């Protein structure tokens, strides 16, 4: 009498291998069904956003879901922010013959200018951080990543609160170039 290898193996493991195989097969079929549903929704929708997603799951422009940093979107909402005066270096122009413009702080162009200023501040902070002597020798990847995220947030907060004026200067220059074109 000849026994199959599967029957012998199943008898040794008390049927657990068959149970695991069935679970893997079930999970695989559920995943494939979900994948097909997502593909069908993407094909049906021009924006690529599924109909079964809530608005909290959809990220706004330039951000990804789960991005923990505070950004610049929605920082300025007041009506007075649409025609505000420049601050910082942009307010202290040396040439008195140049008429100072107003800034629409609610615009997408100003938001992107703030992001650029934050990037410059982050580069400055990163170079300053390199000069600090560290006593501990724990230089793990996780620690470096956390410190980098922390300094990203420092740069964002400094950009929002310090009033350097670099974003204002960029906005004025770019909006002036847009009017001339």
């Amino acid at each position: 009498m000849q026994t199959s290898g599967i029957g012998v193996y199943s008898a040794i493991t008390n049927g657990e291998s068959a149970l695991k195989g069935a679970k893997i097969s079930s999970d695989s079929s559920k995943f494939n069904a979900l994948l097909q549903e997502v593909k069908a929704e993407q094909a049906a929708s021009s924006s690529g956003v599924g109909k079964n997603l809530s608005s909290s799951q959809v990220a706004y422009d330039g951000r990804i879901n789960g991005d923990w940093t505070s950004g610049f979107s929605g920082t300025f909402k007041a009506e007075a922010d649409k025609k505000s005066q420049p601050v910082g270096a942009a307010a202290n122009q040396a040439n008195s013959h140049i008429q100072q413009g107003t800034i629409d702080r609610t615009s997408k162009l100003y938001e992107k200018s703030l992001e650029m200023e934050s990037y410059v501040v982050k580069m400055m902070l990163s170079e300053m951080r390199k000069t600090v002597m560290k006593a501990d020798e724990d230089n793990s990847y996780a620690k470096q990543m956390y410190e980098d995220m922390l300094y990203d947030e420092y740069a964002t907060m400094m950009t929002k609160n310090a009033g350097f004026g670099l974003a204002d200067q960029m906005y004025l220059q770019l909006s002036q170039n847009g009017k001339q074109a």
Side-chain angles (χ1 to χ4, degrees):
M1 181 171 166
Q2 187 175 10
T3 60
S4 70
I6 295 173
V8 171
Y9 183 71
S10 182
I12 294 172
T13 61
N14 293 329
E16 288 183 36
S17 63
L19 183 63
K20 285 182 182 179
K23 180 158 176 43
I24 289 171
S25 177
S26 172
D27 289 347
S28 178
S29 65
K30 286 179 185 177
F31 178 76
N32 285 332
L34 179 64
L35 188 61
Q36 292 303 323
E37 181 184 338
V38 169
K39 284 181 180 179
E41 286 179 5
Q42 283 182 340
S45 173
S46 62
S47 67
V49 177
K51 295 175 187 165
N52 295 332
L53 295 177
S54 69
S55 59
S56 66
Q57 293 172 308
V58 180
Y60 56 90
D61 293 341
R63 306 277 292 192
I64 58 174
N65 288 337
D67 198 356
W68 66 273
T69 60
S70 59
F72 297 104
S73 179
T75 301
F76 299 100
K77 300 176 191 172
E79 191 63 34
D81 290 331
K82 293 188 179 197
K83 293 200 181 280
S84 62
Q85 295 298 314
V87 296
N92 300 326
Q93 291 183 1
N95 191 346
S96 61
H97 300 292
I98 297 176
Q99 184 178 2
Q100 211 169 26
T102 59
I103 297 175
D104 181 6
R105 296 186 192 282
T106 62
S107 72
K108 206 62 153 155
L109 177 61
Y110 189 72
E111 183 181 326
K112 296 302 178 187
S113 298
L114 282 172
E115 288 178 13
M116 181 63 189
E117 179 179 332
S118 177
Y119 180 72
V120 171
V121 171
K122 170 69 166 56
M123 288 189 321
M124 177 187 69
L125 289 174
S126 294
E127 291 301 314
M128 291 170 67
R129 189 172 85 184
K130 288 178 185 176
T131 65
V132 176
M133 300 292 284
K134 296 182 180 173
D136 60 341
E137 294 298 322
D138 179 28
N139 204 13
S140 68
Y141 177 74
K143 182 179 177 184
Q144 289 175 355
M145 187 170 56
Y146 174 76
E147 282 183 355
D148 194 50
M149 290 189 303
L150 179 66
Y151 277 81
D152 281 342
E153 192 63 20
Y154 285 160
T156 302
M157 289 297 116
M158 287 177 73
T159 299
K160 283 181 181 179
N161 299 316
F164 293 123
L166 181 61
D168 292 6
Q169 285 179 322
M170 282 188 279
Y171 176 85
L172 290 172
Q173 185 66 41
L174 292 172
S175 63
Q176 180 182 25
N177 287 345
K179 289 176 186 175
Q180 293 175 353

